[in-house]
Amino acid sequence: MTPNLYELSTDGAEFTAYCGGNLGGENETCVEVAAIPGAVDSFVIRDNKTEATGGDLRFTGSEVDTWAANWVRERGLTV
């Protein structure tokens, strides 16, 4: 059974930023992703901008994989 990912702390999470297509510098648009510490195959995704107010999103690895595969297919991208 998957725990409620929103009940888990992200303290100590090591985020990787995926950026591109914006102004660069501190105004660059980035999405940051990290594994949730202490959770198995679970991730937190957030906006990197300091004014972002949407909070973070949390997913299992399977959910992220399914989303990514569908995104690539629907956008006609190649990997």
Side-chain angles (χ1 to χ4, degrees), residues 6-66:
Y6 288 92
E7 292 178 352
L8 302 175
S9 173
T10 57
D11 290 344
E14 296 183 23
F15 285 87
T16 299
Y18 296 91
C19 307
N22 199 0
L23 303 173
E26 64 184 50
N27 293 317
E28 182 67 43
T29 301
C30 302
V31 172
E32 296 180 331
V33 179
I36 298 175
V40 176
D41 198 32
S42 299
F43 300 89
V44 57
I45 300 173
R46 68 183 185 189
D47 187 343
N48 73 314
K49 291 182 279 321
T50 56
E51 69 273 11
T53 59
D56 58 40
L57 300 171
R58 301 178 186 207
F59 300 96
T60 64
S62 177
E63 290 169 329
V64 172
D65 293 347
T66 298

